[in-house]
Amino acid sequence: MDDTTQAVSPLRQVRGLVKLVRPKQWAKNGFVLAPLVFAGEFLDPASASSALLAFALFCVGSSATYIVNDLSDIDGDRRHPRKRHERPLASGQVKPGMAFGLLIALYAVLVGCWFIVPSVVSVIGIYLVLNIAYTFVLKHQPVLDIFTIALGFVLRVYAGAMALAVPVSGWMFVTTLCLALYLAAVKRRQELSQSGDQARKVLGSYSVALVDRYAEMSATGALVFYSMFVMSARPELVVTVPLVLFGLFRYWYVVETMDGGESPTDALFSDWQLLLTVVLWVAACGWALWPEAVLV
């Protein structure tokens, strides 16, 4: 009897549903909080509450996209040597009907919250549509697939700005785009090097050398644009530039020597130096912007 036909206990089903929404991946939604930090409003209770609500709603939206993706990829995941055991739907831990019911519940939460924060939910709606297009069409299109993933991070930043009703620097948007392109290119590189073009159809259109160049170009762009943003708009954050540079170097080291990078969140939480770098960057931003935040 294989994994997909075994009886599943109620407790294991609940654990499967929790795993289905991928709470570890919510770390990506930290980009929603970027405008709160750079606007210097992180000490204002109202602004912090609005940003955290936007973060929570983006977690709901991103979890919904994971369920849609897993529902559409059940057959492929069952043939994958690792995903057939790790993915709740592929392993039989969660039945498709249960997953669909949870998906409807998550959509209902977003619809209800539209009456509270329509600007934020509207951005999340664009994110949902973009990811549905990615799941069924765009993930099979080379280059477009990488840019679609990256745009999801840009929308996170935009949602955070909408929550606070503050303008976002063009530098922040282009920096976010470059950083997200870097992470997406590295993800494709690791999928290609570890599983070949068997992991997903679009990988047959790439080579490791090509996505390496994509990653290098994007990392360089992220560093340059972040530095320009800091020097032109937030010179007090110049102390964070070395941390960003080290983070990019360390992430590439994790990819090359520890075989990480297929999941950026797994790479982050599995390497203490990378995690510490992120913590120090957040702390440095808070310290540098603290006087302005107090004045607000």
Side-chain angles (χ1 to χ4, degrees), residues 168-176 224-226 228-230 232-233:
V168 180
S169 167
W171 293 118
M172 184 182 294
F173 276 128
V174 73
T175 300
T176 302
V224 170
F225 290 127
Y226 180 78
M228 293 177 71
F229 163 66
V230 166
S232 63

Side-chain angles (χ1 to χ4, degrees), residues 223 226-227 230-231 237-247 281:
L223 178 62
Y226 180 78
S227 300
V230 166
M231 298 304 293
L237 291 177
V238 69
V239 295
T240 67
V241 174
L243 290 171
V244 172
L245 183 58
F246 178 82
W281 178 83

